[in-house]
Amino acid sequence: AQTVTQSQPEMSVQEAETVTLSCTYDTSESDYYLFWYKQPPSRQMILVIRQEAYKQQNATENRFSVNFQKAAKSFSLKISDSQLGDAAMYFCASFNQGGKLIFGQGTELSVKP
Amino acid sequence: DTEVTQTPKHLVMGMTNKKSLKCEQHMGHRAMYWYKQKAKKPPELMFVYSYEKLSINESVPSRFSPECPNSSLLNLHLHALQPEDSALYLCASSQDQGTSGPRAGELFFGEGSRLTVL
């Protein structure tokens, strides 16, 4: 079975600072994909960043980067220079050969001005 | 056009009503999804359509009936719902349901339909 765990229900960061959101996952498959999705209060879920499991290099997307530790099955998201617009619920998700996108429980990020 | 459009945005219905949620995308995607989301919880997969055929049904009660009339449209027909079915219903689409490639697992979501069952 495929599981995704986010152990931080809530996080807070000061504007312009850096914050790291944690995620661990469990899968028996060798080929899979990991994602961070963002859901702002307006509700529309958008993709923040993706990582292919076969790639050793950590994905980056502007101020967003991941720390992918395959052996530890860890996939954390780092947000640098946090902005007020980064406030949202962040979901870690995995996608594997079953063709299902499975989400973690989410981390609600607040950004303080 | 990278939008997934869902209508209505809000729906209130009684337990004996029949209603439908609609979803539309014009990105040429061949996979479409329905998710159910409760407040402060992750989306839960309900159904997946691939090339207009139902490929995944996550043991959803029969009072929810999906339909994919064509590759751009996805409906969710609702009948005899319970108050616990009140939730945000999210539609999503992806290039296809493929499990490899540069777009694998990349879903585009609509804003959702907020359903309240009285």
Side-chain angles (χ1 to χ4, degrees):
Chain A
Q2 180 184 350
T3 61
V4 179
T5 303
Q6 293 177 249
S7 58
Q8 305 155 315
E10 298 176 350
M11 289 284 284
S12 180
V13 64
Q14 204 72 34
E15 195 176 5
E17 297 293 308
T18 295
V19 64
T20 298
L21 308 184
S22 302
C23 173
T24 58
Y25 63 93
D26 192 15
T27 179
S28 58
E29 299 186 8
S30 58
D31 189 17
Y32 54 91
Y33 299 80
L34 298 168
F35 303 84
W36 280 97
Y37 279 85
K38 170 186 177 182
Q39 189 176 34
S42 64
R43 304 177 309 186
Q44 187 169 23
M45 188 97 68
I46 57 173
L47 177 65
V48 175
I49 199 165
R50 76 194 299 269
Q51 174 82 42
E52 292 92 337
Y54 62 85
K55 288 187 177 179
Q56 292 186 347
Q57 186 173 6
N58 290 325
T60 63
E61 199 69 47
N62 300 316
R63 297 181 296 106
F64 299 88
S65 62
V66 299
N67 183 3
F68 175 46
Q69 301 290 325
K70 191 171 183 178
K73 295 185 177 177
S74 170
F75 182 63
S76 60
L77 174 70
K78 185 171 81 171
I79 306 174
S80 304
D81 186 24
S82 297
Q83 301 175 359
L84 295 177
D86 295 333
M89 184 74 87
Y90 286 81
F91 291 101
C92 179
S94 82
F95 183 82
N96 66 5
Q97 296 304 311
K100 299 180 186 179
L101 188 65
I102 303 299
F103 292 91
Q105 290 300 304
T107 297
E108 188 170 16
L109 178 67
S110 60
V111 181
K112 297 179 180 178
Chain B
D1 185 0
T2 57
E3 282 192 350
V4 175
T5 304
Q6 290 187 242
T7 56
K9 292 193 185 309
H10 299 275
L11 178 63
V12 180
M13 60 186 292
M15 288 189 286
T16 59
N17 292 156
K18 286 186 180 180
K19 297 286 184 183
S20 297
L21 305 181
K22 298 184 183 302
C23 175
E24 189 169 4
Q25 57 88 14
H26 294 289
M27 294 178 278
H29 288 172
R30 303 313 300 268
M32 296 187 77
Y33 308 76
W34 280 115
Y35 280 86
K36 173 184 178 180
Q37 187 179 27
K38 293 278 197 178
K40 303 282 190 181
K41 296 294 185 183
E44 298 174 3
L45 182 63
M46 300 174 71
F47 303 104
V48 181
Y49 272 83
S50 178
Y51 289 85
E52 299 155 52
K53 294 188 188 304
L54 184 64
S55 66
I56 295 177
N57 177 344
E58 291 287 89
S59 302
V60 179
S62 60
R63 57 185 184 270
F64 295 92
S65 175
E67 178 195 20
C68 190
N70 60 57
S71 60
S72 299
L73 294 174
L74 185 66
N75 298 321
L76 186 62
H77 303 298
L78 314 170
H79 174 55
L81 295 192
Q82 303 297 312
E84 59 265 28
D85 296 322
S86 298
L88 182 68
Y89 288 84
L90 295 171
C91 174
S93 69
S94 64
Q95 191 170 59
D96 53 38
Q97 206 188 349
T99 55
S100 63
R103 291 288 177 257
E106 185 173 338
L107 270 58
F108 292 78
F109 286 85
E111 290 191 6
S113 293
R114 174 77 61 191
L115 173 66
T116 302
V117 182
L118 300 177

